[in-house]
Amino acid sequence: MSRRAFIRWLVAIGGILIGISAWFSWLVKKKFMTETVTVAAHSADTPEPSASQEPPQPSEEPLPPGPLMSFFILSDLHVTIGDPLTMTKLRQALDDVTHFDGPVDAIMLTGDLTDTGTDRDYKELRGILNAYKLPPVHANMGNHDYYTIWINKANQWDQDAVPNGKSDAISREQFKKFFGYSQIYNDFTANGHSIVLLSQETYVQEKPEVGEGAWYSDEQMAWFKARVKQLYKPGRPLFVMTHQPLPPVGTDGKTHQLMRAIEFRDTLAPYKNVLVFCGHRHQDFQNGTPHYIQETFHYFHNASVGRTLNRAYQQEARNKAQGIYVQVFADKVTVRGREFSNRTWIEEANWTVPLEKVKV
């Protein structure tokens, strides 16, 4: 090879090497720039937490929508053929309940179901209830459900002939037979939420000193304590139904009141989210009388379906028929007064009870 040809060969080889080097340099630069951009983009979107930053806390589980349980409380029906308006009002209430725009899992009848406790009054009550397709119906006894002792064979009030061949035991058996109960105090659970119903256990034929008060036996009180303990679930409400109201705190009741009131209150004191409902007073939700009191439990006085009264205990508004609608939600219980005669809510009777959460 001549010297000139050798030089040309070296120049060609050098050019090829320079080209390869430039190409390789371009590849390395491209890879580096791509990784830089990718890392930068990642840093901008999801910055790494520093050692001093707290990790994000998970949000609370959302509460389930809608009510978990719903029921009506109808008190003081006083159904009797002697006062046809009481029967008309109960039909109005049941018409509203069966056409209600909302869930109804049960109906509680809290005492004074009839006006005299006679076979005739119970027959009228049965005829009205049977005319409707109703959810489960449960009840307790009021003082008027023992009144058959005042009524003679001619279905007339006969105080001089008391007990008119009747007895308090007959009244209890009538009530149990009507509802298919084995005892006059009971409980009911729907959708995991429980209702305890206590019943007046005797009247003046057996215990004249009771008057119109709610007397509970040792057996009923022991049952009450055991059922509350068994049915109570932390974080959920527990409902208790009585007929007669409680006397002032720290006292036992007399006539027209729950008599073993100190023991009743002591039984409920350890538990949270307990709601107690009573009847007997017949007080109109719109007459300014307090219908809600907060003690260790939440205490509500119902009005009356059959005979709603003013503050002077007069039936001034004869057409009114009132009751309560209760709804249980995951975090609260709502209690609303209902006017059945025109199917409207009562603004003066509208309460929300927040449920206390379980402390872990």
Side-chain angles (χ1 to χ4, degrees):
M1 176 183 296
S2 64
R3 184 171 179 272
R4 180 174 294 182
F6 178 74
I7 292 173
R8 286 200 299 270
W9 180 80
L10 285 178
V11 171
I13 293 297
I16 292 171
L17 290 176
I18 291 171
I20 291 172
S21 176
W23 177 75
F24 183 78
S25 176
W26 176 81
L27 284 178
V28 171
K29 183 177 180 180
K30 180 181 179 182
K31 185 175 189 306
F32 175 79
M33 289 299 292
T34 302
E35 289 178 348
T36 303
V37 171
T38 302
V39 171
H42 174 73
S43 300
D45 291 342
T46 54
E48 295 293 331
S50 67
S52 62
Q53 284 181 316
E54 290 291 333
Q57 297 298 317
S59 60
E60 289 188 8
E61 183 178 347
L63 297 172
L68 306 175
M69 179 192 180
S70 307
F71 61 96
F72 272 99
I73 309 174
L74 312 182
S75 191
D76 298 275
L77 315 179
H78 288 275
V79 167
T80 179
I81 197 170
D83 183 359
L85 188 56
T86 60
M87 297 186 288
T88 298
K89 290 181 177 182
L90 179 56
R91 290 189 185 96
Q92 287 176 338
L94 297 180
D95 280 336
D96 190 12
V97 170
T98 53
H99 294 91
F100 192 68
D101 186 18
V104 183
D105 297 306
I107 299 174
M108 301 294 121
L109 307 178
T110 52
D112 286 2
L113 316 178
T114 66
D115 201 40
T116 64
T118 59
D119 288 334
R120 186 172 67 164
D121 284 354
Y122 270 110
K123 183 179 179 180
E124 295 298 328
L125 177 60
R126 172 63 68 200
I128 296 172
L129 294 177
N130 284 350
Y132 296 89
K133 186 177 181 180
L134 300 172
V137 177
H138 288 270
N140 56 11
M141 292 185 75
N143 51 312
H144 273 255
D145 299 314
Y146 285 94
Y147 270 28
T148 187
I149 64 169
W150 302 103
I151 308 300
N152 62 23
K153 292 181 180 179
N155 282 306
Q156 301 296 320
W157 187 274
D158 194 345
Q159 186 171 345
D160 294 334
V162 170
N164 285 291
K166 319 286 183 54
S167 69
D168 294 348
I170 288 176
S171 294
R172 290 191 294 271
E173 290 304 315
Q174 269 186 318
F175 174 81
K176 289 191 293 183
K177 182 179 179 181
F178 189 89
F179 288 99
Y181 292 156
S182 60
Q183 60 188 22
I184 62 173
Y185 41 92
N186 292 275
D187 59 79
F188 170 76
T189 298
N191 302 337
H193 296 84
S194 298
I195 301 170
V196 178
L197 298 104
L198 301 178
S199 269
Q200 177 176 338
E201 211 163 341
T202 192
Y203 188 51
V204 299
Q205 184 268 325
E206 292 176 340
K207 291 183 177 294
E209 68 275 17
V210 166
E212 305 298 319
W215 183 85
Y216 302 154
S217 66
D218 290 342
E219 290 77 13
Q220 182 171 185
M221 292 305 293
W223 174 89
F224 178 48
K225 293 173 186 176
R227 293 307 287 159
V228 168
K229 184 177 181 180
Q230 184 174 356
L231 295 171
Y232 176 76
K233 296 180 180 178
R236 293 189 184 184
L238 178 66
F239 302 97
V240 179
M241 307 288 150
T242 71
H243 178 66
Q244 284 91 334
L246 288 160
V249 174
T251 65
D252 275 330
K254 298 179 181 179
T255 185
H256 295 286
Q257 296 173 335
L258 194 159
M259 304 188 81
R260 298 178 72 167
I262 293 175
E263 189 175 356
F264 176 89
R265 284 183 163 109
D266 287 346
T267 297
L268 297 180
Y271 302 97
K272 304 295 184 184
N273 301 321
V274 176
L275 289 84
V276 177
F277 295 84
C278 74
H280 191 69
R281 297 193 317 166
H282 294 231
Q283 291 294 289
D284 187 337
F285 282 126
Q286 296 174 302
N287 69 12
T289 304
H291 283 79
Y292 167 62
I293 301 168
Q294 186 170 357
E295 298 189 19
T296 63
F297 47 84
H298 303 275
Y299 187 33
F300 294 89
H301 295 256
N302 203 349
S304 168
V305 174
R307 294 170 183 157
T308 302
L309 304 179
N310 63 16
R311 297 185 71 155
Y313 293 92
Q314 300 165 332
Q315 197 175 357
E316 185 179 44
R318 286 183 56 79
N319 291 325
K320 285 190 174 185
Q322 298 178 351
I324 283 175
Y325 181 58
V326 179
Q327 287 197 298
V328 180
F329 296 84
D331 59 341
K332 64 185 176 183
V333 175
T334 61
V335 179
R336 302 185 70 183
R338 184 75 170 174
E339 177 57 58
F340 297 117
S341 64
N342 58 15
R343 302 187 184 188
T344 59
W345 296 114
I346 300 172
E347 184 179 348
E348 294 85 346
N350 188 357
W351 303 278
T352 297
V353 177
L355 295 175
E356 294 190 31
K357 295 182 179 179
V358 180
K359 294 182 180 179
V360 180

